[in-house]
Coordinates of all heavy atoms in Angstrom, one line a residue:
L28 N 87.2 95.2 73.9 CA 87.4 95.8 75.2 C 87.9 97.2 75.0 O 88.7 97.4 74.1 CB 88.4 95.0 76.0 CG 88.0 93.6 76.4 CD1 89.1 92.9 77.1 CD2 86.7 93.6 77.2
G29 N 87.6 98.1 75.9 CA 88.1 99.4 75.8 C 87.7 100.2 77.0 O 87.1 99.8 78.0
F30 N 88.1 101.5 77.0 CA 87.8 102.4 78.1 C 86.5 103.2 77.8 O 86.1 103.3 76.6 CB 88.9 103.5 78.2 CG 90.2 102.9 78.6 CD1 91.2 102.7 77.7 CD2 90.4 102.5 79.9 CE1 92.5 102.2 78.1 CE2 91.6 102.0 80.3 CZ 92.7 101.8 79.4
I31 N 85.8 103.6 78.8 CA 84.7 104.5 78.7 C 85.2 105.9 78.4 O 85.8 106.5 79.3 CB 83.7 104.4 79.9 CG1 83.3 102.9 80.1 CG2 82.6 105.4 79.8 CD1 82.5 102.7 81.4
A32 N 84.9 106.4 77.3 CA 85.4 107.7 76.8 C 85.1 108.8 77.8 O 86.0 109.7 78.1 CB 84.9 108.1 75.4
E33 N 83.9 108.9 78.4 CA 83.6 109.9 79.3 C 84.4 109.9 80.6 O 84.9 110.9 81.1 CB 82.1 109.9 79.7 CG 81.2 110.3 78.6 CD 80.9 109.1 77.6 OE1 81.4 108.0 77.8 OE2 80.3 109.4 76.5
E34 N 84.7 108.7 81.0 CA 85.5 108.5 82.2 C 87.0 108.9 81.9 O 87.7 109.5 82.8 CB 85.5 107.1 82.7 CG 84.1 106.7 83.3 CD 84.0 105.3 83.8 OE1 85.1 104.5 83.7 OE2 82.9 104.9 84.3
V35 N 87.5 108.5 80.7 CA 88.8 108.9 80.3 C 88.9 110.4 80.3 O 89.9 111.0 80.8 CB 89.2 108.3 79.0 CG1 90.5 108.9 78.4 CG2 89.3 106.8 79.1
A36 N 87.9 111.1 79.7 CA 87.9 112.5 79.5 C 87.9 113.2 80.9 O 88.5 114.3 81.1 CB 86.7 113.0 78.7
D37 N 87.2 112.6 81.9 CA 87.2 113.2 83.2 C 88.6 113.2 83.8 O 89.0 114.2 84.6 CB 86.3 112.4 84.2 CG 84.8 112.7 83.9 OD1 84.5 113.7 83.2 OD2 84.0 111.9 84.3
I38 N 89.4 112.2 83.6 CA 90.7 112.1 84.1 C 91.8 112.8 83.3 O 92.6 113.6 83.8 CB 91.1 110.6 84.2 CG1 90.2 109.9 85.2 CG2 92.6 110.4 84.6 CD1 90.3 108.4 85.1
E39 N 91.7 112.7 82.0 CA 92.6 113.4 81.1 C 91.9 113.7 79.7 O 91.8 112.9 78.9 CB 93.8 112.4 80.8 CG 94.9 113.0 79.9 CD 95.4 114.4 80.3 OE1 96.1 114.4 81.4 OE2 95.1 115.4 79.7
P40 N 91.4 114.9 79.7 CA 90.7 115.3 78.5 C 91.4 115.2 77.2 O 90.9 114.9 76.1 CB 90.4 116.8 78.7 CG 90.4 117.0 80.2 CD 91.4 116.0 80.7
Y41 N 92.7 115.3 77.2 CA 93.6 115.1 76.1 C 93.4 113.7 75.4 O 93.7 113.6 74.2 CB 95.1 115.3 76.6 CG 96.2 114.9 75.6 CD1 96.5 115.7 74.5 CD2 96.9 113.7 75.7 CE1 97.5 115.4 73.6 CE2 97.9 113.4 74.9 CZ 98.2 114.2 73.8 OH 99.2 113.9 72.9
L42 N 93.0 112.7 76.1 CA 92.9 111.4 75.6 C 91.5 111.1 74.9 O 91.4 110.0 74.4 CB 93.1 110.4 76.7 CG 94.5 110.3 77.3 CD1 94.6 109.4 78.4 CD2 95.6 110.0 76.2
A43 N 90.6 112.0 75.0 CA 89.3 111.8 74.4 C 89.1 112.7 73.2 O 89.7 113.8 73.1 CB 88.2 112.0 75.4
F44 N 88.3 112.3 72.3 CA 87.9 113.1 71.2 C 86.4 113.3 71.1 O 85.7 112.5 71.6 CB 88.5 112.6 69.8 CG 88.0 111.3 69.4 CD1 86.9 111.2 68.6 CD2 88.7 110.1 69.7 CE1 86.4 109.9 68.2 CE2 88.3 108.9 69.3 CZ 87.1 108.8 68.5
K45 N 86.0 114.4 70.5 CA 84.6 114.7 70.4 C 84.0 114.7 69.0 O 84.8 114.9 68.0 CB 84.3 116.1 71.0 CG 84.7 116.2 72.5 CD 84.6 117.6 73.1 CE 85.0 117.6 74.5 NZ 84.8 118.9 75.2
N46 N 82.7 114.6 68.9 CA 82.1 114.6 67.6 C 81.8 116.1 67.2 O 82.1 117.0 67.9 CB 80.9 113.7 67.5 CG 79.8 114.1 68.5 OD1 79.8 115.2 69.0 ND2 79.0 113.1 68.9
K47 N 81.1 116.3 66.1 CA 80.7 117.6 65.6 C 79.9 118.4 66.6 O 79.9 119.6 66.6 CB 80.1 117.5 64.2 CG 81.0 117.1 63.1 CD 80.2 117.0 61.8 CE 81.1 116.3 60.8 NZ 80.4 116.2 59.5
E48 N 79.1 117.7 67.4 CA 78.2 118.3 68.3 C 78.9 118.6 69.7 O 78.3 119.1 70.6 CB 77.0 117.4 68.6 CG 76.0 117.3 67.5 CD 76.5 116.3 66.4 OE1 77.1 115.3 66.7 OE2 76.2 116.6 65.2
G49 N 80.2 118.3 69.8 CA 80.9 118.5 71.0 C 80.8 117.5 72.0 O 81.3 117.6 73.2
E50 N 80.1 116.4 71.7 CA 80.0 115.3 72.7 C 81.2 114.4 72.6 O 81.7 114.1 71.5 CB 78.7 114.5 72.3 CG 77.4 115.3 72.4 CD 76.3 114.6 71.8 OE1 76.5 113.7 70.9 OE2 75.1 114.8 72.2
I51 N 81.6 113.9 73.7 CA 82.7 112.9 73.8 C 82.3 111.7 73.0 O 81.3 111.1 73.3 CB 83.1 112.6 75.2 CG1 83.6 113.9 75.9 CG2 84.2 111.5 75.3 CD1 83.8 113.8 77.4
E52 N 83.2 111.3 72.1 CA 82.8 110.2 71.2 C 83.7 109.0 71.4 O 83.3 107.8 71.2 CB 82.9 110.6 69.8 CG 82.3 109.6 68.8 CD 82.2 110.2 67.4 OE1 81.2 110.9 67.2 OE2 83.0 109.9 66.6
G53 N 85.0 109.2 71.7 CA 85.9 108.1 71.8 C 87.2 108.4 72.5 O 87.4 109.5 73.0
V54 N 88.1 107.5 72.5 CA 89.4 107.6 73.1 C 90.5 107.6 72.1 O 90.5 106.8 71.2 CB 89.6 106.4 74.1 CG1 90.9 106.4 74.8 CG2 88.5 106.4 75.2
N55 N 91.5 108.4 72.3 CA 92.7 108.5 71.5 C 93.6 107.4 72.0 O 94.5 107.7 72.8 CB 93.3 109.8 71.5 CG 92.5 110.9 70.8 OD1 92.0 110.6 69.7 ND2 92.3 112.0 71.4
Y56 N 93.4 106.2 71.6 CA 94.2 105.1 72.2 C 95.7 105.2 71.9 O 96.6 104.8 72.6 CB 93.7 103.7 71.7 CG 92.4 103.3 72.4 CD1 91.2 103.6 71.7 CD2 92.4 102.8 73.6 CE1 90.0 103.2 72.4 CE2 91.3 102.4 74.3 CZ 90.0 102.6 73.6 OH 88.9 102.3 74.2
D57 N 96.0 105.9 70.8 CA 97.4 106.0 70.4 C 98.2 107.0 71.3 O 99.4 107.0 71.4 CB 97.5 106.5 69.0 CG 96.8 107.9 68.7 OD1 95.7 108.1 69.3 OD2 97.4 108.7 68.0
K58 N 97.5 107.7 72.1 CA 98.1 108.7 73.1 C 98.2 108.1 74.5 O 98.8 108.7 75.4 CB 97.4 110.0 73.0 CG 97.4 110.7 71.7 CD 96.6 112.0 71.7 CE 96.7 112.6 70.3 NZ 95.8 113.8 70.2
I59 N 97.5 107.0 74.7 CA 97.5 106.5 76.1 C 98.8 106.1 76.6 O 99.2 106.3 77.8 CB 96.4 105.3 76.2 CG1 95.0 105.9 76.1 CG2 96.6 104.5 77.5 CD1 94.0 104.9 76.2
T60 N 99.6 105.5 75.8 CA 100.9 105.0 76.2 C 101.8 106.1 76.9 O 102.4 105.9 77.9 CB 101.7 104.3 75.1 OG1 100.9 103.3 74.5 CG2 103.0 103.8 75.5
T61 N 101.8 107.2 76.2 CA 102.6 108.3 76.8 C 102.1 108.7 78.1 O 102.9 109.0 79.1 CB 102.5 109.6 75.8 OG1 102.9 109.1 74.5 CG2 103.3 110.7 76.3
V62 N 100.8 108.9 78.3 CA 100.2 109.2 79.6 C 100.5 108.2 80.6 O 100.9 108.5 81.8 CB 98.7 109.5 79.4 CG1 98.1 109.7 80.8 CG2 98.5 110.7 78.5
L63 N 100.4 106.9 80.3 CA 100.6 105.8 81.2 C 102.1 105.8 81.6 O 102.4 105.6 82.8 CB 100.2 104.5 80.6 CG 98.7 104.3 80.5 CD1 98.4 103.0 79.8 CD2 98.0 104.4 81.8
V64 N 103.0 106.0 80.7 CA 104.4 105.9 81.0 C 104.7 107.1 82.0 O 105.5 106.9 83.0 CB 105.3 106.0 79.8 CG1 106.7 106.4 80.1 CG2 105.2 104.8 78.9
N65 N 104.2 108.2 81.8 CA 104.4 109.4 82.7 C 103.8 109.1 84.1 O 104.5 109.4 85.1 CB 103.8 110.6 82.1 CG 104.6 111.2 80.9 OD1 105.7 110.9 80.8 ND2 103.9 111.9 80.1
A66 N 102.7 108.4 84.1 CA 102.0 108.1 85.4 C 102.9 107.1 86.1 O 103.1 107.2 87.4 CB 100.6 107.6 85.2
V67 N 103.4 106.1 85.4 CA 104.2 105.0 86.1 C 105.5 105.7 86.6 O 105.9 105.3 87.7 CB 104.5 103.9 85.1 CG1 105.6 103.0 85.6 CG2 103.3 103.1 84.8
N68 N 106.1 106.5 85.8 CA 107.3 107.2 86.3 C 107.1 108.0 87.6 O 107.9 108.0 88.5 CB 107.9 108.1 85.2 CG 108.6 107.3 84.1 OD1 109.0 106.2 84.3 ND2 108.7 107.9 82.9
E69 N 105.9 108.7 87.6 CA 105.6 109.5 88.8 C 105.3 108.6 90.0 O 105.8 108.9 91.1 CB 104.3 110.3 88.5 CG 103.9 111.3 89.6 CD 102.7 112.1 89.2 OE1 102.6 112.6 88.1 OE2 101.8 112.2 90.1
Q70 N 104.7 107.5 89.8 CA 104.4 106.6 90.9 C 105.7 106.0 91.4 O 105.9 105.8 92.6 CB 103.5 105.4 90.4 CG 102.1 105.9 90.3 CD 101.1 104.7 90.0 OE1 101.5 103.8 89.3 NE2 99.9 104.9 90.4
Q71 N 106.7 105.7 90.4 CA 107.9 105.1 90.8 C 108.7 106.1 91.7 O 109.3 105.7 92.7 CB 108.8 104.7 89.6 CG 110.0 104.0 90.0 CD 109.7 102.7 90.7 OE1 108.8 102.0 90.3 NE2 110.5 102.3 91.7
S72 N 108.6 107.4 91.4 CA 109.3 108.4 92.2 C 108.7 108.4 93.6 O 109.4 108.5 94.6 CB 109.1 109.8 91.6 OG 109.9 109.8 90.4
Q73 N 107.3 108.3 93.7 CA 106.7 108.3 95.0 C 107.1 107.1 95.8 O 107.3 107.2 97.0 CB 105.1 108.3 94.8 CG 104.6 109.6 94.2 CD 103.1 109.6 93.9 OE1 102.5 108.5 93.8 NE2 102.5 110.7 93.7
I74 N 107.2 105.9 95.1 CA 107.5 104.7 95.8 C 108.9 104.8 96.3 O 109.2 104.4 97.5 CB 107.4 103.5 94.8 CG1 106.0 103.2 94.5 CG2 108.1 102.3 95.4 CD1 105.8 102.2 93.3
E75 N 109.9 105.4 95.6 CA 111.2 105.5 96.0 C 111.3 106.5 97.2 O 112.0 106.2 98.2 CB 112.1 106.0 94.9 CG 112.3 104.9 93.8 CD 113.0 105.5 92.6 OE1 113.4 106.6 92.5 OE2 113.1 104.7 91.6
Q76 N 110.5 107.5 97.2 CA 110.5 108.5 98.3 C 109.9 107.8 99.6 O 110.4 107.9 100.7 CB 109.7 109.7 98.0 CG 109.7 110.8 99.1 CD 111.1 111.2 99.6 OE1 111.9 111.5 98.7 NE2 111.3 111.2 100.9
Q77 N 108.8 107.0 99.4 CA 108.2 106.3 100.5 C 109.2 105.3 101.1 O 109.2 105.1 102.3 CB 106.9 105.7 100.0 CG 105.8 106.7 99.8 CD 104.6 106.0 99.1 OE1 104.6 104.9 98.6 NE2 103.5 106.8 99.2
K78 N 109.9 104.6 100.2 CA 110.9 103.6 100.7 C 112.0 104.3 101.6 O 112.4 103.8 102.6 CB 111.6 102.9 99.6 CG 112.5 101.8 100.0 CD 113.1 101.0 98.9 CE 114.0 99.9 99.4 NZ 114.5 99.9 100.7
K79 N 112.4 105.5 101.2 CA 113.4 106.2 102.0 C 112.8 106.6 103.3 O 113.5 106.5 104.3 CB 113.9 107.5 101.2 CG 114.8 107.2 100.0 CD 115.1 108.5 99.3 CE 115.9 108.3 98.1 NZ 116.2 109.5 97.3
T80 N 111.5 107.0 103.3 CA 110.9 107.4 104.5 C 110.7 106.2 105.4 O 111.0 106.3 106.6 CB 109.5 108.0 104.2 OG1 109.6 109.2 103.4 CG2 108.7 108.3 105.5
I81 N 110.4 105.1 104.9 CA 110.2 103.8 105.7 C 111.6 103.4 106.3 O 111.7 103.1 107.4 CB 109.6 102.7 104.8 CG1 108.1 103.0 104.5 CG2 109.8 101.3 105.5 CD1 107.5 102.1 103.5
D82 N 112.6 103.5 105.4 CA 113.9 103.1 105.9 C 114.4 104.0 107.1 O 114.9 103.5 108.1 CB 115.0 103.2 104.8 CG 114.8 102.1 103.7 OD1 114.1 101.1 104.0 OD2 115.4 102.3 102.7
N83 N 114.1 105.3 107.0 CA 114.5 106.2 108.0 C 113.6 105.9 109.3 O 114.2 106.0 110.4 CB 114.2 107.7 107.6 CG 115.3 108.1 106.6 OD1 116.4 107.6 106.6 ND2 115.0 109.1 105.8
L84 N 112.4 105.7 109.1 CA 111.5 105.3 110.3 C 112.0 104.0 111.0 O 112.0 104.0 112.2 CB 110.1 105.3 109.9 CG 109.4 106.6 109.5 CD1 108.0 106.4 108.9 CD2 109.3 107.5 110.7
E85 N 112.3 103.1 110.2 CA 112.8 101.8 110.7 C 114.1 102.0 111.5 O 114.2 101.4 112.6 CB 113.0 100.7 109.7 CG 111.7 100.2 109.1 CD 112.0 99.2 107.9 OE1 113.1 99.2 107.3 OE2 111.0 98.4 107.7
K86 N 115.0 102.8 111.0 CA 116.2 103.2 111.8 C 115.9 103.9 113.1 O 116.5 103.6 114.1 CB 117.1 104.0 110.9 CG 117.8 103.2 109.8 CD 118.6 104.2 108.9 CE 119.2 103.4 107.7 NZ 119.9 104.3 106.8
T87 N 114.9 104.8 113.0 CA 114.5 105.5 114.2 C 113.9 104.6 115.3 O 114.3 104.6 116.4 CB 113.5 106.6 113.9 OG1 114.1 107.5 113.0 CG2 113.0 107.4 115.1
V88 N 113.1 103.7 114.8 CA 112.5 102.7 115.7 C 113.5 101.8 116.4 O 113.5 101.6 117.6 CB 111.4 101.8 115.0 CG1 111.0 100.6 115.8 CG2 110.2 102.7 114.6
Q89 N 114.5 101.4 115.6 CA 115.5 100.5 116.1 C 116.4 101.3 117.2 O 116.8 100.7 118.2 CB 116.4 100.0 115.0 CG 115.7 98.9 114.2 CD 115.2 97.8 114.9 OE1 115.8 97.3 115.9 NE2 114.0 97.3 114.6
S90 N 116.7 102.6 116.9 CA 117.4 103.4 117.8 C 116.7 103.6 119.1 O 117.2 103.5 120.2 CB 117.8 104.7 117.2 OG 118.6 104.6 116.1
L91 N 115.4 103.9 119.0 CA 114.6 104.1 120.2 C 114.4 102.8 121.0 O 114.5 102.8 122.2 CB 113.2 104.6 119.8 CG 113.1 106.0 119.2 CD1 111.8 106.3 118.7 CD2 113.5 107.0 120.3
K92 N 114.3 101.7 120.3 CA 114.2 100.4 120.9 C 115.5 100.1 121.7 O 115.5 99.6 122.9 CB 113.9 99.3 119.9 CG 113.8 97.9 120.5 CD 113.4 96.9 119.4 CE 113.5 95.5 119.9 NZ 113.3 94.5 118.9
A93 N 116.6 100.3 121.1 CA 117.9 100.1 121.7 C 118.1 100.9 122.9 O 118.5 100.4 124.0 CB 119.0 100.3 120.7
A94 N 117.7 102.2 122.8 CA 117.8 103.1 124.0 C 116.9 102.7 125.1 O 117.3 102.7 126.3 CB 117.5 104.5 123.5
L95 N 115.7 102.3 124.8 CA 114.7 101.8 125.8 C 115.2 100.6 126.5 O 115.1 100.4 127.7 CB 113.4 101.6 125.2 CG 112.2 101.2 126.1 CD1 112.0 102.2 127.2 CD2 111.0 100.9 125.3
C96 N 115.7 99.6 125.7 CA 116.1 98.4 126.3 C 117.3 98.4 127.2 O 117.6 97.5 128.0 CB 116.3 97.3 125.1 SG 114.8 96.9 124.3
V97 N 118.1 99.5 127.0 CA 119.2 99.7 128.0 C 118.7 99.9 129.4 O 119.2 99.3 130.3 CB 120.1 100.9 127.5 CG1 121.1 101.3 128.6 CG2 120.8 100.6 126.3
S98 N 117.6 100.7 129.5 CA 117.1 101.0 130.8 C 116.0 100.0 131.2 O 115.7 99.9 132.4 CB 116.6 102.4 130.9 OG 115.5 102.6 129.9
R99 N 115.4 99.3 130.3 CA 114.3 98.4 130.6 C 114.4 97.1 129.9 O 113.6 96.7 129.0 CB 112.9 99.1 130.2 CG 112.6 100.3 131.0 CD 112.1 100.0 132.5 NE 111.1 99.0 132.6 CZ 109.8 99.1 132.5 NH1 109.3 100.3 132.3 NH2 109.0 98.1 132.6
P100 N 115.5 96.3 130.1 CA 115.7 95.1 129.4 C 114.6 94.0 129.7 O 114.5 93.0 128.9 CB 117.0 94.6 129.9 CG 117.2 95.3 131.2 CD 116.5 96.6 131.2
D101 N 113.7 94.2 130.6 CA 112.7 93.3 131.0 C 111.5 93.4 130.0 O 110.6 92.5 130.0 CB 112.2 93.5 132.4 CG 111.7 94.9 132.6 OD1 112.4 95.9 132.3 OD2 110.6 95.0 133.2
L102 N 111.4 94.5 129.2 CA 110.3 94.6 128.3 C 110.3 93.6 127.3 O 111.3 93.1 126.8 CB 110.3 96.0 127.7 CG 110.2 97.2 128.6 CD1 110.4 98.5 127.8 CD2 108.8 97.2 129.2
K103 N 109.1 93.2 126.8 CA 108.9 92.2 125.8 C 109.6 92.5 124.5 O 110.2 91.6 123.9 CB 107.4 92.0 125.5 CG 107.0 90.9 124.6 CD 105.5 90.7 124.5 CE 105.2 89.5 123.6 NZ 103.7 89.4 123.5
I104 N 109.6 93.7 124.1 CA 110.3 94.1 122.8 C 111.8 94.0 122.9 O 112.5 94.0 121.9 CB 109.9 95.5 122.3 CG1 110.4 96.5 123.3 CG2 108.4 95.6 122.0 CD1 110.3 98.0 122.8
C105 N 112.3 93.8 124.1 CA 113.8 93.7 124.3 C 114.3 92.3 124.3 O 115.5 92.1 124.4 CB 114.2 94.4 125.6 SG 113.7 96.2 125.6
K106 N 113.4 91.4 124.2 CA 113.8 89.9 124.3 C 113.9 89.3 123.0 O 113.4 89.7 122.0 CB 112.8 89.2 125.2 CG 112.8 89.7 126.6 CD 111.8 89.0 127.5 CE 111.8 89.6 128.8 NZ 110.9 89.0 129.8

């Protein structure tokens, strides 16, 4: 099992190697871990930022709901 070298090169040329004719020949598997760790760290940062955004939005929704229910306690979301 392995990666398709041309597809790897499209995403990260650093991870592929070429033959004497300059054609993509294979994948530098020993370098993949570094790239993957960096990608995971970047995704984790994005996840943490998205969680902060979601938390802020949830607080905003709760505040708006509370304010609305003061004047309209008959609404379904207020019950």
Side-chain angles (χ1 to χ4, degrees):
L28 296 176
F30 295 105
I31 298 171
E33 291 81 7
E34 291 179 3
V35 170
D37 287 344
I38 296 168
E39 180 55 70
Y41 170 75
L42 295 176
F44 62 89
K45 298 178 180 182
N46 60 22
K47 293 177 185 177
E48 291 78 35
E50 299 167 333
I51 296 171
E52 188 170 283
V54 176
N55 292 314
Y56 286 98
D57 58 322
K58 297 177 182 175
I59 287 180
T60 302
T61 303
V62 173
L63 290 177
V64 167
N65 290 336
V67 168
N68 286 336
E69 185 178 313
Q70 285 183 334
Q71 189 61 39
S72 294
Q73 290 174 347
I74 289 168
E75 290 169 7
Q76 182 57 47
Q77 289 172 342
K78 183 174 181 349
K79 287 177 186 177
T80 300
I81 290 168
D82 290 345
N83 288 336
L84 290 171
E85 286 176 341
K86 288 176 186 175
T87 300
V88 166
Q89 290 303 319
S90 294
L91 291 171
K92 181 179 172 183
L95 179 63
C96 290
V97 167
S98 62
R99 295 286 313 272
D101 58 310
L102 294 175
K103 185 176 181 179
I104 63 169
C105 300
K106 297 178 182 182

